[in-house]
Amino acid sequence: MVRHSSFVGVVALALPLLIAGPGSAEAGVWANDALAAGDAVSVAGYWTVGNSAALRRATPLGPENDRPAFTRIAPVVPAGEPGTVAPGHEEGYEPPAESPTTVTLPKTVGKVFFLDHEGKERWCSATSIESGHRNVVATAAHCVHDPADTGKASAKWVFIPGYYGGKAPYGVYVGAQAWTHHDFDTAKDYDKDYAFVNVYNGLRLSSITQVTPAQYAAFTGAKWIQGGLHYTAVSQETGRLGDNVGGQGLRYNARPDAHVYAFGYPAGLHLDGNPQYTGETIKYNYGRLASRYTTTNPATNNAETHIGVLSSWTPGADGSPMLSSYEYGSRLGYIEGVVSFLVDQDGDRRYDLITSAYFDGESAEVYRKADEVATGSPVP
């Protein structure tokens, strides 16, 4: 069994990784992509300027993505020894005096915002996951690599835990480095549809002001140029992601029959055009995992070992964590998958199943690469 302590990385390893070029990879199952590349302030500013107008404009990824039909088959057989990474509490955590008897929502879950290959503002769901440097976000790989643009990471990628109504209660965490499975990065293999993203320390930008080029040049604080306009802001770091909200654990090579809670931001319409969710607040879904595989166009979808749980969630839930052993008091559990597909099984044009790639030893290897990387301050 793999314990968290064995994943603590060495800071000296982080710097070459952070400057690696897009799509670069070494021998192994993983691929890595630089995201903000030293421009974190302008990325945060893009989403927060104008009373967070871009956050409010963004739309969920989907439903134009391929949503295949799935059929249940025999359970996935783990190919290696089961392992876990223990979850971690936020700083100052104190257990409740009495154990809650109803579901409590995790602080770790939020939205990731990014630009797709057409420059459209999009979002998915995601969660903080425990790591040695407390700076890793887990989500679906297609929420990092646009499915329509193979091998290229999405632009202006940020994570906002606890997001609601355009608010960022714990700050904005700009993506620094994305880690995905090589097979997704190069061939969009949805059996490997997961990603672990290193983020900079959280950032709040206040008193955002449009200024002249001369004022911009003289200003020594947080500043950026957007759409030909010059902006300055008062900036405040909010600290490391895991220190603020904690981090979920990881479980891999497990029997795919656990009872799990999925937490995320479903939004938009069912296939028949009927609304059910707004995407403005976190929702949860509970059920028992089962093994699934695609029956339509498998050569394209490459989703032969997915696990799934019954759910009526709609697009926007992509990337949501599926958590086993979830405790109401700590609001922590173990990630056994992240939502990859939303499926209409019975053909009534309403989603009724969410699926995830099965987390195996290769998933853990990709996670370990993210666990090694230190990021630090987003402000030069």
Side-chain angles (χ1 to χ4, degrees):
M1 181 173 291
V2 182
R3 297 293 183 184
H4 169 238
S5 59
S6 68
F7 291 139
V8 176
V10 180
V11 174
L13 295 176
L15 295 179
L17 296 174
L18 284 174
I19 60 175
S24 60
E26 298 176 6
V29 302
W30 50 269
N32 66 310
D33 294 87
L35 295 178
D39 198 23
V41 171
S42 67
V43 173
Y46 176 88
W47 294 104
T48 55
V49 72
N51 193 26
S52 301
L55 295 179
R56 301 173 190 276
R57 287 194 305 262
T59 57
L61 189 64
E64 66 271 26
N65 295 329
D66 191 12
R67 308 286 180 175
F70 274 62
T71 297
R72 184 171 179 172
I73 59 171
V76 174
V77 178
E81 290 296 318
T84 61
V85 176
H89 296 293
E90 67 272 25
E91 286 189 343
Y93 168 80
E94 294 184 4
E98 296 183 6
S99 180
T101 57
T102 58
V103 178
T104 54
L105 301 177
K107 297 171 66 175
T108 63
V109 174
K111 286 185 178 182
V112 292
F113 293 86
F114 52 90
L115 303 184
D116 68 11
H117 68 286
E118 296 179 333
K120 294 180 180 177
E121 295 148 341
R122 312 305 292 266
W123 56 264
C124 286
S125 300
T127 186
S128 168
I129 183 172
E130 182 66 356
S131 66
H133 299 289
R134 314 216 77 189
N135 65 346
V136 179
V137 175
T139 189
H142 73 262
C143 296
V144 176
H145 282 271
D146 192 315
D149 199 357
T150 300
K152 183 178 180 181
S154 299
K156 300 190 184 302
W157 199 98
V158 301
F159 175 58
I160 302 181
Y163 174 90
Y164 68 95
K167 305 296 183 182
Y170 306 107
V172 176
Y173 297 81
V174 179
Q177 186 84 9
W179 300 90
T180 55
H181 195 285
H182 179 267
D183 291 354
F184 192 95
D185 183 84
T186 58
K188 290 297 179 286
D189 182 350
Y190 277 83
D191 278 330
K192 310 298 181 183
D193 189 14
Y194 46 78
F196 302 97
V197 179
N198 296 111
V199 294
Y200 292 106
N201 292 355
L203 188 65
R204 285 198 181 99
L205 298 178
S206 58
S207 302
I208 298 175
T209 306
Q210 183 182 336
V211 297
T212 66
Q215 292 171 321
Y216 180 88
F219 191 75
T220 58
K223 59 184 179 179
W224 68 97
I225 300 173
Q226 181 174 329
L229 302 177
H230 296 71
Y231 293 95
T232 63
V234 175
S235 65
Q236 175 189 1
E237 283 195 38
T238 61
R240 299 188 303 180
L241 174 63
D243 293 339
N244 290 327
V245 301
Q248 300 296 337
L250 175 68
R251 182 170 282 152
Y252 57 93
N253 281 336
R255 287 180 52 179
D257 59 358
H259 285 85
V260 296
Y261 283 95
F263 294 95
Y265 291 81
L269 307 176
H270 281 277
L271 295 168
D272 62 4
N274 289 319
Q276 185 171 354
Y277 304 100
T278 66
E280 288 302 306
T281 56
I282 298 176
K283 301 297 181 182
Y284 74 88
N285 183 83
Y286 180 75
R288 186 172 184 175
L289 289 172
S291 298
R292 314 264 172 179
Y293 79 107
T294 181
T295 58
T296 60
N297 201 10
T300 299
N301 297 314
N302 292 327
E304 298 176 353
T305 57
H306 270 215
I307 54 177
V309 64
L310 298 178
S311 174
S312 64
W313 278 6
T314 57
D318 303 56
S320 298
M322 297 180 178
L323 301 176
S324 61
S325 304
Y326 184 75
E327 296 182 357
Y328 297 168
S330 65
R331 307 186 187 199
L332 296 173
Y334 293 82
I335 303 174
E336 294 206 24
V338 291
V339 174
S340 177
F341 287 115
L342 294 89
V343 181
D344 170 19
Q345 296 185 98
D346 57 14
D348 67 352
R349 300 195 55 76
R350 294 183 66 84
Y351 297 113
D352 51 33
L353 173 72
I354 52 177
T355 77
S356 168
Y358 175 71
F359 279 16
D360 57 13
E362 292 185 352
S363 313
E365 185 174 340
V366 177
Y367 162 80
R368 290 187 189 108
K369 299 306 295 185
D371 181 68
E372 294 174 351
V373 178
T375 46
S377 173
V379 181

